[in-house]
Amino acid sequence: MVKLSVIVPFYNVQTYAPDTLRSLRANAREDFEFILVDDCSTDGTYDILRRARDDIPGAVVIRHEQNGGLATARNTGLDAATGEYLTFLDGDDWLAPGYYARLLAAAEDLGCDFVRADHVQVTGRARTVHRVPHGLRGVPFSPRDAILPADRTTSVDYPYAWAGIYHRRLVDRGLLHFTHGLRTAEDRPWIWRLHREAESFAAVGLLGVFYRRGVASSLTQIGDVRQLDFIRAFDQVIEETARDPEADKLLPKAVRTYAAVMAHHLDSVERFEPAVARKLRSMSAAALQRLPQDLLSDTLDSLGDQRAARLRRVRRRPVPAGTVPSVTTGAST
């Protein structure tokens, strides 16, 4: 029986894939499987994966005929995985030796639906520890109760899918798949859904994932239209949270997070191509007008002068009629 399935999407990361694969080899165990998904790479990544298949016990290589993005590649891996537990890794990151055995042991000991772990962010030669924003460590907790408070960083603001391990019952309940086709921010609706609908989680202080930042080929470094998928991702967060029985309680956090992320993108608008920058502003204006306006006004009053002023300017932009459907909360329907 496969105890752990590790899902690793790759796309044009031939420079970094060998490090990733060596770290998987250093985590191999007879009851682990590694689902390596090549998302139609155009460099030498797929050839590297094919060679690694014979070197890494439990490795399976799947190749997409068309590039679908990270969310779709992860879903391909989920559909192929057979493990009792599942986790993720990105194709340009790497692991400490033996990390997965320690993470699995923690998950089995805690018996939760999912466990979240700390990680190390790597930017050039600099390494920084990033911790799960949840004070209780090694204690099962209600995921829903970890969403709030609205004005603080909480577990839903730590969305990294690879920073944790997940029991198969989440797959069976339809909670672990990602929104097909999202090319960025795919983990935002995903982490919100987990925290709203799963029954238990815990945070642990294990360090073992090394998250590489500043990679030139990473979508977070590319100012093209794919970056604007964050709007579709957060629209989904708002729509699903609005249908929740506790929508009145949870929506202020969702609106605040959406506004903060939008302000971040608008603040760095110069990195986008000119046409994409214009589209960012127009899509942001429509998105702001879709939000519950009373919650948005309260949010802007609490965001700080600079971010609030930027969002208020965008909010005043004209939006074509019929493009701003209202958001209705589950509590009022």
Side-chain angles (χ1 to χ4, degrees):
M1 178 179 179
V2 175
K3 198 70 176 177
L4 176 66
S5 298
V6 183
I7 297 158
V8 195
F10 294 81
Y11 178 65
N12 287 354
V13 287
Q14 65 178 10
T15 302
Y16 307 107
D19 290 342
T20 304
L21 295 166
R22 278 192 293 270
S23 76
L24 291 176
R25 180 68 180 85
N27 276 267
R29 212 170 79 174
E30 63 180 7
D31 55 350
F32 289 2
E33 67 178 4
F34 302 99
I35 313 297
L36 314 179
V37 182
D38 180 71
D39 194 21
C40 197
S41 295
T42 57
D43 62 1
T45 298
Y46 180 54
D47 291 334
I48 293 171
L49 298 184
R50 286 194 304 170
R51 292 194 296 270
R53 181 170 46 199
D54 298 328
D55 183 54
I56 302 175
V60 176
V61 177
I62 301 173
R63 179 169 170 79
H64 282 173
E65 295 301 319
Q66 293 182 329
N67 177 260
L70 183 57
T72 299
R74 284 176 175 166
N75 288 343
T76 294
L78 284 169
D79 291 341
T82 62
E84 181 183 357
Y85 288 86
L86 305 96
T87 190
F88 304 90
L89 186 68
D90 286 351
D92 51 5
D93 299 334
W94 77 95
L95 307 161
Y99 168 68
Y100 281 148
R102 296 191 294 273
L103 184 62
L104 175 63
E108 291 185 308
D109 182 58
L110 289 162
C112 298
D113 283 344
F114 65 101
V115 173
R116 304 291 281 154
D118 303 334
H119 73 275
V120 179
Q121 180 175 297
V122 180
T123 307
R125 294 177 179 269
R127 299 189 179 191
T128 308
V129 173
H130 286 249
R131 302 198 181 279
V132 185
H134 183 71
L136 290 174
R137 296 301 175 106
V139 179
F141 199 77
S142 165
R144 175 177 287 264
D145 291 343
I147 296 174
L148 301 175
D151 60 349
R152 296 183 187 176
T153 300
T154 68
S155 293
V156 291
D157 302 310
Y158 187 83
Y160 317 107
W162 36 258
I165 186 170
Y166 314 92
H167 196 277
R168 171 159 291 278
R169 57 181 169 264
L170 295 175
V171 178
D172 297 339
R173 291 182 58 193
L175 299 182
L176 214 56
H177 280 71
F178 295 81
T179 302
H180 176 73
L182 276 181
R183 296 163 294 179
T184 191
E186 74 293 326
D187 44 14
R188 295 291 188 158
W190 178 86
I191 194 70
W192 271 84
R193 186 172 63 244
L194 279 183
H195 275 275
R196 283 194 315 267
E197 300 188 31
E199 295 179 3
S200 61
F201 94 112
V204 296
L206 290 175
L207 285 173
V209 177
F210 293 82
Y211 168 44
R212 202 188 299 267
R213 291 277 292 178
V215 176
S217 61
S218 172
L219 189 54
T220 58
Q221 304 296 310
I222 299 172
D224 71 15
V225 70
R226 292 173 293 177
Q227 278 280 8
L228 304 189
D229 275 8
F230 85 90
I231 290 177
R232 186 157 69 97
F234 274 101
D235 278 352
Q236 182 180 342
V237 171
I238 297 296
E239 290 164 8
E240 293 177 351
T241 305
R243 295 194 296 267
D244 190 275
E246 294 186 298
D248 289 346
K249 177 181 176 182
L250 300 179
L251 267 177
K253 172 66 175 178
V255 170
R256 183 183 178 88
T257 306
Y258 195 171
V261 172
M262 186 182 295
H264 167 75
H265 283 285
L266 291 167
D267 188 47
S268 55
V269 70
E270 69 281 349
R271 69 187 174 87
F272 289 95
E273 301 159 3
V276 178
R278 291 192 295 272
K279 190 170 185 179
L280 169 62
R281 293 189 182 97
S282 64
M283 290 179 67
S284 296
L288 289 171
Q289 293 186 34
R290 283 194 295 272
L291 292 173
Q293 293 302 294
D294 55 342
L295 289 182
L296 178 58
S297 295
D298 291 344
T299 294
L300 295 180
D301 289 342
S302 65
L303 269 185
D305 293 343
Q306 186 174 352
R307 290 190 296 177
R310 183 175 298 109
L311 290 172
R312 286 190 177 105
R313 285 195 300 271
V314 171
R315 188 186 187 187
R316 290 193 293 267
R317 290 172 64 97
V319 175
T323 62
V324 188
S326 61
V327 174
T328 303
T329 68
S332 62
T333 56

